[in-house]
Amino acid sequence: MKNYSDILFPYAYNILGSSEDAKDTVQDILIKYLSIDKNHIENEIGFLIKSVINQSINLKKRQKKISADSIWLPEPISTEKADDNINKEEILSYSMLTLLEKLSAKERAVFILKESFDYSHKEIAETIGFTIENSRKLLSRAKNKLNTTRVLKNKAHQQDTSQLKYYVEAMKTGDVATLKKLLSEDILLAADGGESVKVVRAVTMGITDVSKLLLYVFKAFLTGLEVRMSSVNHQPAILYYKNQALYNCQVFEFEKNRIKSIYSVVDPQKLKALFG
């Protein structure tokens, strides 16, 4: 059998938001496929994609029940590593993955298949196992919940990366005035430490509160750490390394040359697969 892992991974990852869970799901489907009767299967990759999508939906449903009352950020993926065989253009932007957490598992799957993979409603219905009308309703419901004009993939991240050097300099010098000039008035700061790291505050909004918290966190936890600029899920990111191990990944969303959102991942489990 051909190696389909890289083809299947983006479907699972975009639904689950977790690289590790996506890899486990793909591996599980491929192992099961080896042991079944394949005489009735006309389209091998189509069958595998359908299997991965449906298993991902079921897993996402179970996860939603567990994490409904907690802050959860997606597991970041590098979109600049040259040795990665995954089609990075099929990986959603970090901001969009975060927004998709508002949706149910099926709404999310329908939205992704239609908007990212260009599936027709007929193809979606056949893949997930419901009617074309259900597919249309779920897509409409998803769009209403998201209420956003943001694109699925941020292909313009390169022009924003240069802004981060001013951000880092303002943090290092404690320059509140310069920092505020870089932030949107309604900026969102979200932090996820998982089960092992307690964050100062999970969600903070507004330029005054966010700038104060950013400077406090930098002074208390990030001063002296190695700083690297990168691209994560098609968006500019800052990686902080402590003793050569990745300690914090901050993913940035820009709007009109100002920072609109900062997603700070300090959960060691989510960081372990990112850059090593």
Side-chain angles (χ1 to χ4, degrees):
M1 186 178 69
K2 297 178 182 178
N3 182 8
Y4 287 130
S5 297
D6 295 336
I7 297 173
L8 298 171
F9 177 83
Y11 290 93
Y13 173 73
N14 289 340
I15 293 173
L16 294 166
S18 166
S19 175
E20 290 303 304
D21 287 343
K23 289 175 183 176
D24 289 344
T25 297
V26 169
Q27 184 180 34
D28 185 46
I29 290 298
L30 290 175
I31 290 173
K32 287 179 180 177
Y33 185 72
L34 291 173
S35 62
I36 66 172
D37 179 9
K38 303 174 186 61
N39 290 326
H40 67 290
I41 299 172
E42 296 180 2
N43 182 348
E44 186 173 65
I45 185 59
F47 177 86
L48 291 170
I49 288 173
K50 179 177 181 178
S51 301
V52 164
I53 289 170
N54 282 286
Q55 183 150 318
S56 298
I57 290 172
N58 291 333
L59 178 56
K60 192 65 177 177
K61 283 180 183 177
R62 295 197 296 272
Q63 291 174 337
K64 280 286 186 181
K65 293 177 182 178
I66 296 170
S67 60
D69 298 322
S70 61
I71 298 301
W72 191 91
L73 291 178
E75 183 178 335
I77 284 184
S78 167
T79 43
E80 69 175 12
K81 288 171 70 177
D83 60 346
D84 199 339
N85 294 321
I86 295 166
N87 182 356
K88 301 182 191 72
E89 288 305 312
E90 293 182 343
I91 299 297
L92 296 187
S93 73
Y94 200 83
S95 297
M96 181 54 70
L97 279 176
T98 304
L99 278 175
L100 291 178
E101 287 300 309
K102 295 180 180 181
L103 307 181
S104 71
K106 282 191 176 180
E107 289 168 349
R108 179 172 180 142
V110 169
F111 183 83
I112 288 167
L113 291 175
K114 188 75 174 79
E115 301 297 320
S116 184
F117 292 98
D118 298 319
Y119 276 44
S120 67
H121 282 294
K122 182 176 183 294
E123 290 171 324
I124 294 171
E126 291 172 350
T127 297
I128 302 179
F130 46 45
T131 66
I132 293 175
E133 183 59 26
N134 278 341
S135 178
R136 294 186 190 279
K137 286 181 179 179
L138 285 168
L139 180 64
S140 176
R141 195 183 304 162
K143 287 183 174 180
N144 287 335
K145 285 184 180 181
L146 295 176
N147 190 25
T148 181
T149 57
R150 269 183 275 192
V151 294
L152 286 174
K153 301 162 191 166
N154 181 3
K155 296 181 181 179
H157 62 87
Q158 292 91 342
Q159 67 184 27
D160 298 326
T161 307
S162 61
Q163 296 267 36
L164 295 184
K165 64 182 179 181
Y166 302 111
Y167 170 85
V168 172
E169 187 61 29
M171 299 290 280
K172 287 181 176 179
T173 58
D175 188 343
V176 180
T178 298
L179 180 60
K180 284 187 173 182
K181 289 179 182 178
L182 300 172
L183 307 179
S184 297
E185 287 292 333
D186 59 348
I187 183 172
L188 164 72
L189 172 61
D192 182 354
E195 297 180 356
S196 59
V197 178
K198 183 175 176 60
V199 297
V200 178
R201 193 178 302 159
V203 177
T204 309
M205 299 186 70
I207 192 168
T208 300
D209 289 343
V210 168
S211 58
K212 286 180 180 178
L213 182 57
L214 284 172
L215 290 169
Y216 167 76
V217 169
F218 187 88
K219 184 177 180 181
F221 303 104
L222 304 176
T223 299
L225 300 191
E226 180 187 354
V227 179
R228 299 183 196 173
M229 308 295 180
S230 188
S231 175
V232 169
N233 290 76
H234 307 287
Q235 292 180 221
I238 297 177
L239 307 177
Y240 293 93
Y241 283 82
K242 185 176 184 180
N243 299 325
Q244 299 184 325
L246 185 57
Y247 178 77
N248 180 206
C249 170
Q250 294 180 0
V251 185
F252 294 77
E253 178 185 6
F254 283 81
E255 185 175 85
K256 296 179 180 178
N257 292 321
R258 292 202 170 200
I259 300 170
K260 180 178 178 61
S261 305
I262 303 174
Y263 305 102
S264 180
V265 181
V266 288
D267 180 354
Q269 293 302 310
K270 291 181 180 177
L271 295 176
K272 66 182 182 180
L274 183 65
F275 293 93

